[in-house]
Amino acid sequence: MTKPNTIGQLDSIRQFNEERGQATHHEQVSVLNQTFSTPFIPYEYLSGLYLIFLKESECEGIQYGRGRYDFCRDSLLFIAPGQVFSQHQAELYRPKGWVIAIHPDFVAGQALHLDKYRLFHYESNAAVPVTAEVREQLIRLFSILQTEVSTVPEKEFLDPRLTRDVIANYIRLILSQCNRAASRLEGSVNKPVGELLVRFEHELQQYIEQGKTESVGLPTVKYFASRLHLSPNYFGDAIKSETGISAKAFIEKWLTSIAKQKMANPSLSISQVAYQLGFSHPQHFTRFFKRNVGMSPTQYR
């Protein structure tokens, strides 16, 4: 039995849990102790989730973007939506350790701004070794967060907004611990290769941070190909070979993620969000949003 050759899509918490044979208690956040996962054949996928792995297994081959490196015992790994990840296993495999999966909708709704963490960037991402003390601290936090997430249905007497706040704050605390562990190793960890994706991701981030959506308009494949000194056709083919989707679809996923974050700000009208993202008319934004999210901006809010 071998894993498929195509790049799959990982889009939901339920899909992630079911692959590992574990129950889904919350549709937007999952915390799994992988000791209880059923064996599965890992495949190469384009992630639609934020993933935080705390591995407790011996070294194994990891494909991250187009780079390969060793992922060893007591290490952390971070995956963001739009990034490709796989393990070099051709047979049934049961990982060890813990994993947190977070849907982008929860990130946007709780204003977590995970894209601001360098941990989730291709250019700085690699397995981050942790000491035994840090590992134990993180396991305690993972376990507490797991209890919060798995007992949500039993807390109907509580304000669900307060429960979401508690979950979000535990995620922030965990990431703060991870950031501290990573900062101690700055510059000392081998980084995966994948120069095109690194540069593309950087250009995407700069596009929004520099306000180009308002001054230039919607981001295009042609624009980024030019920025990376490539022909649009070559650039598009290279991105598709690395991510499994077209460069246009990759940009749309990224823009949808930014849109959701902005929609979480109640002080912004839908028209303001549309113009800030580079749409000339709110109706165009509404069609774009509905096509990519499955509901209108008003329904999403």
Side-chain angles (χ1 to χ4, degrees), residues 12-293:
S12 74
I13 295 294
R14 189 169 294 276
Q15 176 191 351
F16 185 78
N17 292 344
E18 287 180 350
E19 182 179 68
R20 288 156 179 76
Q22 298 214 41
T24 298
H25 301 285
H26 192 295
E27 294 293 340
Q28 294 186 332
V29 181
S30 178
V31 186
L32 303 182
N33 180 344
Q34 303 233 62
T35 301
F36 303 106
S37 291
T38 56
F40 65 97
I41 295 181
Y43 60 94
E44 188 172 23
Y45 62 77
L46 177 68
S47 182
L49 307 175
Y50 290 93
L51 301 172
I52 305 169
F53 290 95
L54 174 59
K55 299 287 284 186
E56 298 180 62
S57 59
E58 300 304 323
C59 291
E60 58 192 43
I62 291 292
Q63 185 80 23
Y64 183 69
R66 300 303 290 180
R68 178 173 176 165
Y69 58 96
D70 286 334
F71 189 35
C72 300
R73 185 177 178 85
D74 301 343
S75 299
L76 291 159
L77 183 68
F78 307 86
I79 309 294
Q83 295 176 349
V84 176
F85 174 76
S86 69
Q87 286 146 313
H88 293 287
Q89 302 285 340
E91 300 177 350
L92 285 174
Y93 162 79
R94 174 159 40 204
K96 296 179 181 178
W98 290 74
V99 59
I100 300 174
I102 312 167
H103 196 281
D105 286 355
F106 186 85
V107 172
Q110 296 301 122
L112 285 172
H113 302 300
L114 297 193
D115 289 333
K116 297 296 183 181
Y117 286 88
R118 290 184 58 204
L119 297 167
F120 289 99
H121 292 184
Y122 267 137
E123 62 181 7
S124 60
N125 208 317
V128 177
V130 295
T131 64
E133 180 183 5
V134 171
R135 176 174 61 84
E136 291 304 316
Q137 290 174 347
L138 287 171
I139 287 175
R140 285 196 293 271
L141 290 173
F142 276 48
S143 181
I144 294 170
L145 180 59
Q146 183 185 54
T147 300
E148 275 300 323
V149 170
S150 63
T151 56
V152 165
E154 300 173 9
K155 296 183 176 181
E156 294 177 355
F157 59 91
L158 294 178
D159 185 336
R161 292 173 298 180
L162 297 179
T163 301
R164 288 194 296 270
D165 287 346
V166 169
I167 292 173
N169 284 329
Y170 272 114
I171 292 171
R172 291 187 182 98
L173 179 56
I174 288 169
L175 284 170
S176 294
Q177 290 278 40
C178 294
N179 249 342
R180 185 166 63 176
S183 68
R184 293 170 179 163
L185 298 161
E186 189 70 32
S188 66
V189 179
N190 291 330
K191 298 178 181 179
V193 296
E195 185 62 27
L196 181 61
L197 277 177
V198 169
R199 293 162 61 198
F200 185 25
E201 184 183 70
H202 176 73
E203 289 293 337
L204 282 166
Q205 197 67 33
Q206 290 295 304
Y207 200 89
I208 190 71
E209 290 180 355
Q210 295 176 3
K212 290 183 178 178
T213 48
E214 295 181 76
S215 61
V216 179
L218 288 170
T220 64
V221 172
K222 183 178 179 180
Y223 172 86
F224 291 111
S226 175
R227 290 288 299 173
L228 297 172
H229 308 291
L230 300 169
S231 72
N233 287 341
Y234 180 88
F235 172 68
D237 289 344
I239 292 300
K240 187 166 186 177
S241 71
E242 296 203 15
T243 66
I245 62 174
S246 68
K248 181 181 178 183
F250 191 99
I251 292 170
E252 287 199 355
K253 277 180 172 287
W254 172 79
L255 197 61
T256 300
S257 177
I258 300 298
K260 287 180 176 180
Q261 293 177 35
K262 288 183 175 292
M263 291 285 290
N265 183 351
S267 67
L268 290 176
S269 68
I270 292 174
S271 293
Q272 288 174 313
V273 172
Y275 292 131
Q276 285 185 11
L277 291 175
F279 289 90
S280 55
H281 300 287
Q283 299 94 317
H284 296 167
F285 170 65
T286 297
R287 287 197 293 270
F288 167 87
F289 195 88
K290 191 168 184 177
R291 184 175 71 251
N292 285 279
V293 181

